[in-house]
PDB file of all heavy atoms in Angstrom:
ATOM      1  N   ARG A1008      -2.172 -18.011  23.866  1.00  0.00           N
ATOM      2  CA  ARG A1008      -2.505 -16.879  24.602  1.00  0.00           C
ATOM      3  C   ARG A1008      -1.449 -16.420  25.518  1.00  0.00           C
ATOM      4  O   ARG A1008      -0.868 -17.257  26.260  1.00  0.00           O
ATOM      5  CB  ARG A1008      -3.811 -17.136  25.405  1.00  0.00           C
ATOM      6  CG  ARG A1008      -4.425 -15.905  26.132  1.00  0.00           C
ATOM      7  CD  ARG A1008      -5.661 -16.263  26.906  1.00  0.00           C
ATOM      8  NE  ARG A1008      -6.772 -16.585  26.020  1.00  0.00           N
ATOM      9  CZ  ARG A1008      -7.556 -15.672  25.537  1.00  0.00           C
ATOM     10  NH1 ARG A1008      -7.320 -14.328  25.652  1.00  0.00           N
ATOM     11  NH2 ARG A1008      -8.671 -15.951  24.678  1.00  0.00           N
ATOM     12  N   ARG A1009      -1.244 -15.112  25.726  1.00  0.00           N
ATOM     13  CA  ARG A1009      -0.282 -14.571  26.609  1.00  0.00           C
ATOM     14  C   ARG A1009      -0.764 -14.761  28.065  1.00  0.00           C
ATOM     15  O   ARG A1009      -1.986 -14.751  28.317  1.00  0.00           O
ATOM     16  CB  ARG A1009       0.059 -13.134  26.299  1.00  0.00           C
ATOM     17  CG  ARG A1009       0.562 -12.864  24.994  1.00  0.00           C
ATOM     18  CD  ARG A1009       0.900 -11.344  24.800  1.00  0.00           C
ATOM     19  NE  ARG A1009       1.242 -11.060  23.327  1.00  0.00           N
ATOM     20  CZ  ARG A1009       2.503 -11.395  22.828  1.00  0.00           C
ATOM     21  NH1 ARG A1009       3.458 -11.878  23.643  1.00  0.00           N
ATOM     22  NH2 ARG A1009       2.738 -11.009  21.629  1.00  0.00           N
ATOM     23  N   ASP A1010       0.111 -14.800  29.032  1.00  0.00           N
ATOM     24  CA  ASP A1010      -0.273 -14.922  30.414  1.00  0.00           C
ATOM     25  C   ASP A1010      -0.930 -13.563  30.854  1.00  0.00           C
ATOM     26  O   ASP A1010      -1.829 -13.560  31.657  1.00  0.00           O
ATOM     27  CB  ASP A1010       0.871 -15.250  31.303  1.00  0.00           C
ATOM     28  CG  ASP A1010       1.479 -16.637  31.185  1.00  0.00           C
ATOM     29  OD1 ASP A1010       0.666 -17.510  30.730  1.00  0.00           O
ATOM     30  OD2 ASP A1010       2.594 -16.850  31.355  1.00  0.00           O
ATOM     31  N   ALA A1011      -0.426 -12.474  30.261  1.00  0.00           N
ATOM     32  CA  ALA A1011      -1.051 -11.111  30.274  1.00  0.00           C
ATOM     33  C   ALA A1011      -1.094 -10.444  29.037  1.00  0.00           C
ATOM     34  O   ALA A1011      -0.136 -10.734  28.164  1.00  0.00           O
ATOM     35  CB  ALA A1011      -0.282 -10.340  31.417  1.00  0.00           C
ATOM     36  N   VAL A1012      -2.000  -9.630  28.729  1.00  0.00           N
ATOM     37  CA  VAL A1012      -1.994  -8.936  27.505  1.00  0.00           C
ATOM     38  C   VAL A1012      -0.795  -8.056  27.316  1.00  0.00           C
ATOM     39  O   VAL A1012      -0.122  -7.705  28.282  1.00  0.00           O
ATOM     40  CB  VAL A1012      -3.374  -8.073  27.366  1.00  0.00           C
ATOM     41  CG1 VAL A1012      -4.556  -8.853  27.237  1.00  0.00           C
ATOM     42  CG2 VAL A1012      -3.395  -7.058  28.449  1.00  0.00           C
ATOM     43  N   ALA A1013      -0.382  -7.807  26.042  1.00  0.00           N
ATOM     44  CA  ALA A1013       0.857  -7.239  25.793  1.00  0.00           C
ATOM     45  C   ALA A1013       1.037  -5.794  26.332  1.00  0.00           C
ATOM     46  O   ALA A1013       2.177  -5.428  26.587  1.00  0.00           O
ATOM     47  CB  ALA A1013       1.123  -7.272  24.239  1.00  0.00           C
ATOM     48  N   VAL A1014      -0.070  -5.101  26.441  1.00  0.00           N
ATOM     49  CA  VAL A1014      -0.041  -3.703  26.889  1.00  0.00           C
ATOM     50  C   VAL A1014      -0.830  -3.644  28.211  1.00  0.00           C
ATOM     51  O   VAL A1014      -1.953  -4.061  28.342  1.00  0.00           O
ATOM     52  CB  VAL A1014      -0.715  -2.749  25.884  1.00  0.00           C
ATOM     53  CG1 VAL A1014      -0.744  -1.278  26.396  1.00  0.00           C
ATOM     54  CG2 VAL A1014       0.125  -2.755  24.539  1.00  0.00           C
ATOM     55  N   ASP A1015      -0.215  -3.125  29.264  1.00  0.00           N
ATOM     56  CA  ASP A1015      -0.821  -2.954  30.592  1.00  0.00           C
ATOM     57  C   ASP A1015      -2.151  -2.224  30.506  1.00  0.00           C
ATOM     58  O   ASP A1015      -2.108  -1.058  30.199  1.00  0.00           O
ATOM     59  CB  ASP A1015       0.170  -2.266  31.516  1.00  0.00           C
ATOM     60  CG  ASP A1015      -0.342  -2.253  32.948  1.00  0.00           C
ATOM     61  OD1 ASP A1015      -1.473  -2.682  33.157  1.00  0.00           O
ATOM     62  OD2 ASP A1015       0.425  -1.744  33.824  1.00  0.00           O
ATOM     63  N   PRO A1016      -3.222  -2.869  30.781  1.00  0.00           N
ATOM     64  CA  PRO A1016      -4.527  -2.114  30.743  1.00  0.00           C
ATOM     65  C   PRO A1016      -4.730  -1.115  31.814  1.00  0.00           C
ATOM     66  O   PRO A1016      -5.640  -0.267  31.667  1.00  0.00           O
ATOM     67  CB  PRO A1016      -5.542  -3.281  31.006  1.00  0.00           C
ATOM     68  CG  PRO A1016      -4.828  -4.362  31.627  1.00  0.00           C
ATOM     69  CD  PRO A1016      -3.421  -4.318  31.216  1.00  0.00           C
ATOM     70  N   ASN A1017      -3.839  -1.099  32.813  1.00  0.00           N
ATOM     71  CA  ASN A1017      -3.807   0.035  33.782  1.00  0.00           C
ATOM     72  C   ASN A1017      -3.205   1.293  33.172  1.00  0.00           C
ATOM     73  O   ASN A1017      -3.427   2.360  33.642  1.00  0.00           O
ATOM     74  CB  ASN A1017      -3.071  -0.438  35.021  1.00  0.00           C
ATOM     75  CG  ASN A1017      -3.834  -1.482  35.750  1.00  0.00           C
ATOM     76  OD1 ASN A1017      -5.018  -1.516  35.959  1.00  0.00           O
ATOM     77  ND2 ASN A1017      -3.004  -2.492  36.175  1.00  0.00           N
ATOM     78  N   ALA A1018      -2.324   1.076  32.148  1.00  0.00           N
ATOM     79  CA  ALA A1018      -1.692   2.221  31.496  1.00  0.00           C
ATOM     80  C   ALA A1018      -2.620   2.836  30.344  1.00  0.00           C
ATOM     81  O   ALA A1018      -2.651   4.055  30.257  1.00  0.00           O
ATOM     82  CB  ALA A1018      -0.349   1.811  30.923  1.00  0.00           C
ATOM     83  N   VAL A1019      -3.290   1.956  29.699  1.00  0.00           N
ATOM     84  CA  VAL A1019      -4.176   2.394  28.691  1.00  0.00           C
ATOM     85  C   VAL A1019      -5.283   1.380  28.428  1.00  0.00           C
ATOM     86  O   VAL A1019      -4.928   0.182  28.360  1.00  0.00           O
ATOM     87  CB  VAL A1019      -3.359   2.668  27.273  1.00  0.00           C
ATOM     88  CG1 VAL A1019      -2.665   1.413  26.806  1.00  0.00           C
ATOM     89  CG2 VAL A1019      -4.274   3.246  26.173  1.00  0.00           C
ATOM     90  N   SER A1020      -6.436   1.809  28.355  1.00  0.00           N
ATOM     91  CA  SER A1020      -7.501   0.763  28.098  1.00  0.00           C
ATOM     92  C   SER A1020      -7.491   0.197  26.779  1.00  0.00           C
ATOM     93  O   SER A1020      -7.004   0.768  25.750  1.00  0.00           O
ATOM     94  CB  SER A1020      -8.967   1.561  28.228  1.00  0.00           C
ATOM     95  OG  SER A1020      -9.170   2.353  27.170  1.00  0.00           O
ATOM     96  N   GLU A1021      -8.107  -0.952  26.706  1.00  0.00           N
ATOM     97  CA  GLU A1021      -8.094  -1.715  25.402  1.00  0.00           C
ATOM     98  C   GLU A1021      -8.839  -0.856  24.387  1.00  0.00           C
ATOM     99  O   GLU A1021      -8.518  -0.797  23.166  1.00  0.00           O
ATOM    100  CB  GLU A1021      -8.779  -3.115  25.557  1.00  0.00           C
ATOM    101  CG  GLU A1021      -8.856  -4.015  24.430  1.00  0.00           C
ATOM    102  CD  GLU A1021      -9.463  -5.297  24.690  1.00  0.00           C
ATOM    103  OE1 GLU A1021      -9.249  -5.840  25.810  1.00  0.00           O
ATOM    104  OE2 GLU A1021     -10.243  -5.841  23.867  1.00  0.00           O
ATOM    105  N   GLU A1022      -9.962  -0.234  24.850  1.00  0.00           N
ATOM    106  CA  GLU A1022     -10.796   0.536  23.888  1.00  0.00           C
ATOM    107  C   GLU A1022      -9.958   1.713  23.312  1.00  0.00           C
ATOM    108  O   GLU A1022     -10.050   1.952  21.978  1.00  0.00           O
ATOM    109  CB  GLU A1022     -11.937   1.127  24.689  1.00  0.00           C
ATOM    110  CG  GLU A1022     -12.930   2.045  23.792  1.00  0.00           C
ATOM    111  CD  GLU A1022     -14.072   2.562  24.639  1.00  0.00           C
ATOM    112  OE1 GLU A1022     -14.104   2.390  25.851  1.00  0.00           O
ATOM    113  OE2 GLU A1022     -14.927   3.237  23.983  1.00  0.00           O
ATOM    114  N   ARG A1023      -9.189   2.449  24.129  1.00  0.00           N
ATOM    115  CA  ARG A1023      -8.370   3.513  23.690  1.00  0.00           C
ATOM    116  C   ARG A1023      -7.269   3.036  22.725  1.00  0.00           C
ATOM    117  O   ARG A1023      -6.937   3.539  21.659  1.00  0.00           O
ATOM    118  CB  ARG A1023      -7.736   4.215  24.835  1.00  0.00           C
ATOM    119  CG  ARG A1023      -6.667   5.200  24.443  1.00  0.00           C
ATOM    120  CD  ARG A1023      -7.184   6.382  23.512  1.00  0.00           C
ATOM    121  NE  ARG A1023      -6.059   7.279  23.192  1.00  0.00           N
ATOM    122  CZ  ARG A1023      -6.105   8.126  22.149  1.00  0.00           C
ATOM    123  NH1 ARG A1023      -7.164   8.244  21.426  1.00  0.00           N
ATOM    124  NH2 ARG A1023      -5.051   9.014  21.996  1.00  0.00           N
ATOM    125  N   LEU A1024      -6.679   1.934  23.096  1.00  0.00           N
ATOM    126  CA  LEU A1024      -5.569   1.325  22.284  1.00  0.00           C
ATOM    127  C   LEU A1024      -6.052   1.065  20.915  1.00  0.00           C
ATOM    128  O   LEU A1024      -5.401   1.499  19.891  1.00  0.00           O
ATOM    129  CB  LEU A1024      -4.968   0.057  22.894  1.00  0.00           C
ATOM    130  CG  LEU A1024      -4.038  -0.727  22.050  1.00  0.00           C
ATOM    131  CD1 LEU A1024      -2.790   0.023  21.798  1.00  0.00           C
ATOM    132  CD2 LEU A1024      -3.780  -2.012  22.748  1.00  0.00           C
ATOM    133  N   PHE A1025      -7.155   0.401  20.784  1.00  0.00           N
ATOM    134  CA  PHE A1025      -7.585  -0.028  19.446  1.00  0.00           C
ATOM    135  C   PHE A1025      -8.330   1.119  18.716  1.00  0.00           C
ATOM    136  O   PHE A1025      -8.488   1.129  17.476  1.00  0.00           O
ATOM    137  CB  PHE A1025      -8.429  -1.304  19.547  1.00  0.00           C
ATOM    138  CG  PHE A1025      -7.502  -2.470  19.850  1.00  0.00           C
ATOM    139  CD1 PHE A1025      -7.658  -3.140  21.116  1.00  0.00           C
ATOM    140  CD2 PHE A1025      -6.598  -2.892  19.016  1.00  0.00           C
ATOM    141  CE1 PHE A1025      -6.774  -4.076  21.437  1.00  0.00           C
ATOM    142  CE2 PHE A1025      -5.759  -3.949  19.413  1.00  0.00           C
ATOM    143  CZ  PHE A1025      -5.882  -4.550  20.636  1.00  0.00           C
ATOM    144  N   GLU A1026      -8.743   2.081  19.343  1.00  0.00           N
ATOM    145  CA  GLU A1026      -9.174   3.326  18.638  1.00  0.00           C
ATOM    146  C   GLU A1026      -7.951   3.913  17.860  1.00  0.00           C
ATOM    147  O   GLU A1026      -8.131   4.367  16.764  1.00  0.00           O
ATOM    148  CB  GLU A1026      -9.658   4.465  19.716  1.00  0.00           C
ATOM    149  CG  GLU A1026     -10.014   5.740  19.023  1.00  0.00           C
ATOM    150  CD  GLU A1026     -10.219   6.800  20.072  1.00  0.00           C
ATOM    151  OE1 GLU A1026      -9.859   6.664  21.244  1.00  0.00           O
ATOM    152  OE2 GLU A1026     -10.697   7.853  19.654  1.00  0.00           O
ATOM    153  N   VAL A1027      -6.794   3.982  18.511  1.00  0.00           N
ATOM    154  CA  VAL A1027      -5.602   4.467  17.884  1.00  0.00           C
ATOM    155  C   VAL A1027      -5.197   3.630  16.748  1.00  0.00           C
ATOM    156  O   VAL A1027      -4.888   4.016  15.605  1.00  0.00           O
ATOM    157  CB  VAL A1027      -4.540   4.711  18.897  1.00  0.00           C
ATOM    158  CG1 VAL A1027      -3.194   4.990  18.163  1.00  0.00           C
ATOM    159  CG2 VAL A1027      -4.855   5.734  19.909  1.00  0.00           C
ATOM    160  N   VAL A1028      -5.220   2.275  16.991  1.00  0.00           N
ATOM    161  CA  VAL A1028      -4.828   1.274  15.937  1.00  0.00           C
ATOM    162  C   VAL A1028      -5.714   1.384  14.718  1.00  0.00           C
ATOM    163  O   VAL A1028      -5.284   1.407  13.549  1.00  0.00           O
ATOM    164  CB  VAL A1028      -4.822  -0.187  16.531  1.00  0.00           C
ATOM    165  CG1 VAL A1028      -4.584  -1.084  15.360  1.00  0.00           C
ATOM    166  CG2 VAL A1028      -3.734  -0.295  17.518  1.00  0.00           C
ATOM    167  N   ARG A1029      -6.994   1.420  14.931  1.00  0.00           N
ATOM    168  CA  ARG A1029      -8.000   1.517  13.839  1.00  0.00           C
ATOM    169  C   ARG A1029      -7.751   2.829  13.000  1.00  0.00           C
ATOM    170  O   ARG A1029      -7.800   2.782  11.738  1.00  0.00           O
ATOM    171  CB  ARG A1029      -9.411   1.416  14.303  1.00  0.00           C
ATOM    172  CG  ARG A1029      -9.815   0.067  14.777  1.00  0.00           C
ATOM    173  CD  ARG A1029     -11.361   0.020  14.962  1.00  0.00           C
ATOM    174  NE  ARG A1029     -11.797   0.987  15.991  1.00  0.00           N
ATOM    175  CZ  ARG A1029     -11.913   0.696  17.326  1.00  0.00           C
ATOM    176  NH1 ARG A1029     -11.477  -0.488  17.759  1.00  0.00           N
ATOM    177  NH2 ARG A1029     -12.199   1.596  18.178  1.00  0.00           N
ATOM    178  N   ALA A1030      -7.576   3.930  13.737  1.00  0.00           N
ATOM    179  CA  ALA A1030      -7.356   5.187  13.041  1.00  0.00           C
ATOM    180  C   ALA A1030      -6.139   5.145  12.162  1.00  0.00           C
ATOM    181  O   ALA A1030      -6.059   5.679  11.081  1.00  0.00           O
ATOM    182  CB  ALA A1030      -7.357   6.338  14.028  1.00  0.00           C
ATOM    183  N   ALA A1031      -5.052   4.586  12.785  1.00  0.00           N
ATOM    184  CA  ALA A1031      -3.752   4.512  12.046  1.00  0.00           C
ATOM    185  C   ALA A1031      -3.928   3.675  10.697  1.00  0.00           C
ATOM    186  O   ALA A1031      -3.484   4.098   9.586  1.00  0.00           O
ATOM    187  CB  ALA A1031      -2.735   3.966  12.911  1.00  0.00           C
ATOM    188  N   PHE A1032      -4.572   2.540  10.829  1.00  0.00           N
ATOM    189  CA  PHE A1032      -4.679   1.679   9.636  1.00  0.00           C
ATOM    190  C   PHE A1032      -5.771   2.024   8.670  1.00  0.00           C
ATOM    191  O   PHE A1032      -5.747   1.460   7.561  1.00  0.00           O
ATOM    192  CB  PHE A1032      -4.716   0.244  10.075  1.00  0.00           C
ATOM    193  CG  PHE A1032      -3.384  -0.354  10.519  1.00  0.00           C
ATOM    194  CD1 PHE A1032      -3.092  -0.443  11.828  1.00  0.00           C
ATOM    195  CD2 PHE A1032      -2.497  -0.804   9.606  1.00  0.00           C
ATOM    196  CE1 PHE A1032      -1.884  -1.041  12.240  1.00  0.00           C
ATOM    197  CE2 PHE A1032      -1.262  -1.364   9.969  1.00  0.00           C
ATOM    198  CZ  PHE A1032      -0.951  -1.406  11.342  1.00  0.00           C
ATOM    199  N   ALA A1033      -6.548   2.998   9.042  1.00  0.00           N
ATOM    200  CA  ALA A1033      -7.630   3.454   8.203  1.00  0.00           C
ATOM    201  C   ALA A1033      -6.970   4.235   6.972  1.00  0.00           C
ATOM    202  O   ALA A1033      -7.575   4.389   5.908  1.00  0.00           O
ATOM    203  CB  ALA A1033      -8.591   4.371   8.844  1.00  0.00           C
ATOM    204  N   HIS A1034      -5.757   4.666   7.183  1.00  0.00           N
ATOM    205  CA  HIS A1034      -5.042   5.419   6.093  1.00  0.00           C
ATOM    206  C   HIS A1034      -3.590   4.837   6.137  1.00  0.00           C
ATOM    207  O   HIS A1034      -2.625   5.481   6.473  1.00  0.00           O
ATOM    208  CB  HIS A1034      -5.042   6.912   6.476  1.00  0.00           C
ATOM    209  CG  HIS A1034      -6.385   7.550   6.678  1.00  0.00           C
ATOM    210  ND1 HIS A1034      -7.213   7.735   5.567  1.00  0.00           N
ATOM    211  CD2 HIS A1034      -7.048   7.801   7.756  1.00  0.00           C
ATOM    212  CE1 HIS A1034      -8.334   8.280   5.958  1.00  0.00           C
ATOM    213  NE2 HIS A1034      -8.256   8.330   7.320  1.00  0.00           N
ATOM    214  N   ARG A1035      -3.562   3.655   5.698  1.00  0.00           N
ATOM    215  CA  ARG A1035      -2.345   2.844   5.795  1.00  0.00           C
ATOM    216  C   ARG A1035      -1.076   3.504   5.171  1.00  0.00           C
ATOM    217  O   ARG A1035       0.012   3.369   5.698  1.00  0.00           O
ATOM    218  CB  ARG A1035      -2.571   1.423   5.170  1.00  0.00           C
ATOM    219  CG  ARG A1035      -1.374   0.531   5.247  1.00  0.00           C
ATOM    220  CD  ARG A1035      -1.673  -0.773   4.560  1.00  0.00           C
ATOM    221  NE  ARG A1035      -0.554  -1.845   4.819  1.00  0.00           N
ATOM    222  CZ  ARG A1035      -0.501  -2.660   5.663  1.00  0.00           C
ATOM    223  NH1 ARG A1035      -1.421  -2.738   6.561  1.00  0.00           N
ATOM    224  NH2 ARG A1035       0.586  -3.529   5.761  1.00  0.00           N
ATOM    225  N   ARG A1036      -1.254   4.240   4.073  1.00  0.00           N
ATOM    226  CA  ARG A1036      -0.112   4.735   3.292  1.00  0.00           C
ATOM    227  C   ARG A1036       0.330   6.086   3.915  1.00  0.00           C
ATOM    228  O   ARG A1036       1.303   6.670   3.455  1.00  0.00           O
ATOM    229  CB  ARG A1036      -0.418   4.801   1.853  1.00  0.00           C
ATOM    230  CG  ARG A1036      -0.682   3.462   1.149  1.00  0.00           C
ATOM    231  CD  ARG A1036      -0.734   3.569  -0.286  1.00  0.00           C
ATOM    232  NE  ARG A1036      -1.010   2.274  -0.950  1.00  0.00           N
ATOM    233  CZ  ARG A1036       0.013   1.463  -1.243  1.00  0.00           C
ATOM    234  NH1 ARG A1036       1.258   1.799  -1.024  1.00  0.00           N
ATOM    235  NH2 ARG A1036      -0.236   0.253  -1.846  1.00  0.00           N
ATOM    236  N   LYS A1037      -0.533   6.623   4.773  1.00  0.00           N
ATOM    237  CA  LYS A1037      -0.175   7.964   5.300  1.00  0.00           C
ATOM    238  C   LYS A1037       0.817   7.882   6.441  1.00  0.00           C
ATOM    239  O   LYS A1037       0.841   6.892   7.179  1.00  0.00           O
ATOM    240  CB  LYS A1037      -1.501   8.692   5.775  1.00  0.00           C
ATOM    241  CG  LYS A1037      -2.315   9.099   4.609  1.00  0.00           C
ATOM    242  CD  LYS A1037      -3.528   9.955   5.164  1.00  0.00           C
ATOM    243  CE  LYS A1037      -4.335  10.537   4.037  1.00  0.00           C
ATOM    244  NZ  LYS A1037      -5.433  11.425   4.496  1.00  0.00           N
ATOM    245  N   MET A1038       1.582   8.890   6.731  1.00  0.00           N
ATOM    246  CA  MET A1038       2.341   9.001   7.876  1.00  0.00           C
ATOM    247  C   MET A1038       1.422   9.083   9.128  1.00  0.00           C
ATOM    248  O   MET A1038       0.377   9.644   9.033  1.00  0.00           O
ATOM    249  CB  MET A1038       3.292  10.137   7.788  1.00  0.00           C
ATOM    250  CG  MET A1038       4.428  10.017   6.784  1.00  0.00           C
ATOM    251  SD  MET A1038       5.594  11.423   6.711  1.00  0.00           S
ATOM    252  CE  MET A1038       4.524  12.733   6.058  1.00  0.00           C
ATOM    253  N   LEU A1039       1.974   8.604  10.198  1.00  0.00           N
ATOM    254  CA  LEU A1039       1.128   8.564  11.510  1.00  0.00           C
ATOM    255  C   LEU A1039       0.666   9.918  11.938  1.00  0.00           C
ATOM    256  O   LEU A1039      -0.423  10.192  12.439  1.00  0.00           O
ATOM    257  CB  LEU A1039       1.923   7.914  12.616  1.00  0.00           C
ATOM    258  CG  LEU A1039       2.174   6.483  12.467  1.00  0.00           C
ATOM    259  CD1 LEU A1039       3.133   5.986  13.476  1.00  0.00           C
ATOM    260  CD2 LEU A1039       0.767   5.702  12.691  1.00  0.00           C
ATOM    261  N   ARG A1040       1.490  11.049  11.723  1.00  0.00           N
ATOM    262  CA  ARG A1040       1.086  12.389  12.075  1.00  0.00           C
ATOM    263  C   ARG A1040      -0.193  12.842  11.281  1.00  0.00           C
ATOM    264  O   ARG A1040      -0.921  13.598  11.776  1.00  0.00           O
ATOM    265  CB  ARG A1040       2.171  13.346  11.938  1.00  0.00           C
ATOM    266  CG  ARG A1040       2.577  13.618  10.429  1.00  0.00           C
ATOM    267  CD  ARG A1040       3.798  14.498  10.425  1.00  0.00           C
ATOM    268  NE  ARG A1040       4.183  14.827   9.049  1.00  0.00           N
ATOM    269  CZ  ARG A1040       5.422  15.321   8.642  1.00  0.00           C
ATOM    270  NH1 ARG A1040       6.225  15.613   9.608  1.00  0.00           N
ATOM    271  NH2 ARG A1040       5.591  15.615   7.406  1.00  0.00           N
ATOM    272  N   ARG A1041      -0.380  12.241  10.140  1.00  0.00           N
ATOM    273  CA  ARG A1041      -1.577  12.574   9.399  1.00  0.00           C
ATOM    274  C   ARG A1041      -2.798  11.698   9.724  1.00  0.00           C
ATOM    275  O   ARG A1041      -3.905  12.141   9.872  1.00  0.00           O
ATOM    276  CB  ARG A1041      -1.226  12.533   7.875  1.00  0.00           C
ATOM    277  CG  ARG A1041      -0.284  13.644   7.390  1.00  0.00           C
ATOM    278  CD  ARG A1041       0.096  13.584   5.979  1.00  0.00           C
ATOM    279  NE  ARG A1041       0.964  14.572   5.558  1.00  0.00           N
ATOM    280  CZ  ARG A1041       1.446  14.731   4.325  1.00  0.00           C
ATOM    281  NH1 ARG A1041       1.063  13.834   3.316  1.00  0.00           N
ATOM    282  NH2 ARG A1041       2.257  15.676   4.009  1.00  0.00           N
ATOM    283  N   SER A1042      -2.501  10.411   9.743  1.00  0.00           N
ATOM    284  CA  SER A1042      -3.682   9.462   9.983  1.00  0.00           C
ATOM    285  C   SER A1042      -4.168   9.582  11.379  1.00  0.00           C
ATOM    286  O   SER A1042      -5.307   9.258  11.591  1.00  0.00           O
ATOM    287  CB  SER A1042      -3.191   8.018   9.787  1.00  0.00           C
ATOM    288  OG  SER A1042      -2.103   7.698  10.533  1.00  0.00           O
ATOM    289  N   LEU A1043      -3.335  10.027  12.378  1.00  0.00           N
ATOM    290  CA  LEU A1043      -3.795  10.230  13.709  1.00  0.00           C
ATOM    291  C   LEU A1043      -4.047  11.534  14.137  1.00  0.00           C
ATOM    292  O   LEU A1043      -4.210  11.898  15.328  1.00  0.00           O
ATOM    293  CB  LEU A1043      -2.681   9.559  14.673  1.00  0.00           C
ATOM    294  CG  LEU A1043      -2.477   8.017  14.474  1.00  0.00           C
ATOM    295  CD1 LEU A1043      -1.389   7.580  15.464  1.00  0.00           C
ATOM    296  CD2 LEU A1043      -3.822   7.320  14.768  1.00  0.00           C
ATOM    297  N   ASP A1044      -4.209  12.448  13.136  1.00  0.00           N
ATOM    298  CA  ASP A1044      -4.478  13.853  13.487  1.00  0.00           C
ATOM    299  C   ASP A1044      -5.835  13.933  14.073  1.00  0.00           C
ATOM    300  O   ASP A1044      -6.896  13.420  13.541  1.00  0.00           O
ATOM    301  CB  ASP A1044      -4.506  14.689  12.105  1.00  0.00           C
ATOM    302  CG  ASP A1044      -4.745  16.145  12.308  1.00  0.00           C
ATOM    303  OD1 ASP A1044      -4.417  16.618  13.437  1.00  0.00           O
ATOM    304  OD2 ASP A1044      -5.387  16.835  11.492  1.00  0.00           O
ATOM    305  N   GLY A1045      -5.921  14.571  15.264  1.00  0.00           N
ATOM    306  CA  GLY A1045      -7.170  14.546  16.037  1.00  0.00           C
ATOM    307  C   GLY A1045      -7.469  13.380  16.903  1.00  0.00           C
ATOM    308  O   GLY A1045      -8.432  13.434  17.759  1.00  0.00           O
ATOM    309  N   VAL A1046      -6.628  12.379  16.821  1.00  0.00           N
ATOM    310  CA  VAL A1046      -6.752  11.146  17.619  1.00  0.00           C
ATOM    311  C   VAL A1046      -5.637  11.202  18.772  1.00  0.00           C
ATOM    312  O   VAL A1046      -5.834  10.787  19.869  1.00  0.00           O
ATOM    313  CB  VAL A1046      -6.680   9.969  16.757  1.00  0.00           C
ATOM    314  CG1 VAL A1046      -6.808   8.615  17.588  1.00  0.00           C
ATOM    315  CG2 VAL A1046      -7.862   9.929  15.759  1.00  0.00           C
ATOM    316  N   VAL A1047      -4.397  11.479  18.280  1.00  0.00           N
ATOM    317  CA  VAL A1047      -3.377  11.600  19.174  1.00  0.00           C
ATOM    318  C   VAL A1047      -2.703  13.014  19.088  1.00  0.00           C
ATOM    319  O   VAL A1047      -2.617  13.587  17.934  1.00  0.00           O
ATOM    320  CB  VAL A1047      -2.240  10.567  18.633  1.00  0.00           C
ATOM    321  CG1 VAL A1047      -0.906  10.763  19.490  1.00  0.00           C
ATOM    322  CG2 VAL A1047      -2.738   9.169  18.942  1.00  0.00           C
ATOM    323  N   ALA A1048      -2.413  13.601  20.143  1.00  0.00           N
ATOM    324  CA  ALA A1048      -1.763  14.933  20.265  1.00  0.00           C
ATOM    325  C   ALA A1048      -0.460  14.971  19.600  1.00  0.00           C
ATOM    326  O   ALA A1048       0.301  13.996  19.750  1.00  0.00           O
ATOM    327  CB  ALA A1048      -1.693  15.452  21.633  1.00  0.00           C
ATOM    328  N   PRO A1049      -0.105  16.074  18.894  1.00  0.00           N
ATOM    329  CA  PRO A1049       1.234  16.052  18.085  1.00  0.00           C
ATOM    330  C   PRO A1049       2.401  15.787  19.145  1.00  0.00           C
ATOM    331  O   PRO A1049       3.397  15.237  18.748  1.00  0.00           O
ATOM    332  CB  PRO A1049       1.233  17.488  17.523  1.00  0.00           C
ATOM    333  CG  PRO A1049      -0.187  17.841  17.328  1.00  0.00           C
ATOM    334  CD  PRO A1049      -0.915  17.185  18.536  1.00  0.00           C
ATOM    335  N   ALA A1050       2.235  16.341  20.309  1.00  0.00           N
ATOM    336  CA  ALA A1050       3.415  16.244  21.249  1.00  0.00           C
ATOM    337  C   ALA A1050       3.525  14.837  21.805  1.00  0.00           C
ATOM    338  O   ALA A1050       4.659  14.453  22.280  1.00  0.00           O
ATOM    339  CB  ALA A1050       3.227  17.073  22.444  1.00  0.00           C
ATOM    340  N   ALA A1051       2.515  13.952  21.623  1.00  0.00           N
ATOM    341  CA  ALA A1051       2.497  12.542  22.167  1.00  0.00           C
ATOM    342  C   ALA A1051       3.607  11.701  21.456  1.00  0.00           C
ATOM    343  O   ALA A1051       4.083  10.752  22.085  1.00  0.00           O
ATOM    344  CB  ALA A1051       1.205  11.964  22.091  1.00  0.00           C
TER     345      ALA A1051
END
């Protein structure tokens, strides 16, 4: 176990982080701009 989680929870919640991760891997073969359409803003 890490002394602290890898991503600062003050910067992004665990819930939001894994929402993005799940959406990305739901369409593993697609480019991120497609699999994350509606989940992450294009400019992000």
Side-chain angles (χ1 to χ4, degrees):
R1008 185 181 292 276
R1009 301 184 185 282
D1010 291 334
V1012 291
V1014 177
D1015 184 355
N1017 293 316
V1019 58
S1020 70
E1021 185 178 323
E1022 181 181 5
R1023 169 60 178 166
L1024 171 62
F1025 291 110
E1026 175 193 14
V1027 172
V1028 171
R1029 286 191 300 272
F1032 282 99
H1034 305 282
R1035 186 182 182 93
R1036 296 187 179 276
K1037 288 186 177 182
M1038 291 183 289
L1039 289 168
R1040 69 185 180 196
R1041 294 182 178 176
S1042 60
L1043 294 178
D1044 183 30
V1046 179
V1047 171

